[in-house]
Amino acid sequence: MQQKINPFEVSVGSRKLGTPRYLFVLLALISFSAWLISNQGLIAGFGLLALPFILLYFYMLFMNPIIGLYTAIGLGFLLLGIPRYFKTITQIGM
């Protein structure tokens, strides 16, 4: 016999954040971030801000590998064009 699930008894979304387990994890992440920024400085803060975007990029890269080719081509043009505008950077490549 199938058991019917009452949709009002299932906790989803923001309701899960109210449980002690999720609050503890959230508090631990905030404490770790504050400790890291206070000990390592502003660079660590920018690193923490960039981390979700980097993880999203790698997820998209492994789900759709053509993104890697596009990235390599774009970086090739960017790295070869930088010395044209910044004379202090030496020429990369031949």
Side-chain angles (χ1 to χ4, degrees), residues 4-84:
K4 291 187 177 184
I5 298 173
N6 188 352
F8 296 107
E9 293 177 0
V10 178
S11 67
V12 294
S14 63
R15 262 198 164 158
K16 285 185 178 182
L17 290 177
T19 61
R21 185 171 122 203
Y22 286 100
L23 285 176
F24 177 73
V25 169
L26 187 62
L27 182 64
L29 283 173
I30 291 171
S31 300
F32 175 73
S33 300
W35 175 80
L36 187 67
I37 292 171
S38 67
N39 285 338
Q40 299 299 321
L42 196 58
I43 299 297
F46 288 133
L48 287 175
L49 284 175
L51 188 63
F53 297 107
I54 292 169
L55 293 175
L56 177 67
Y57 171 76
F58 278 113
Y59 173 76
M60 291 174 56
L61 177 68
F62 285 112
M63 290 294 121
N64 193 5
I66 195 71
I67 292 175
L69 179 66
Y70 294 153
T71 303
I73 291 172
L75 282 176
F77 281 108
L78 182 71
L79 291 177
L80 289 175
I82 285 177
R84 179 179 299 168

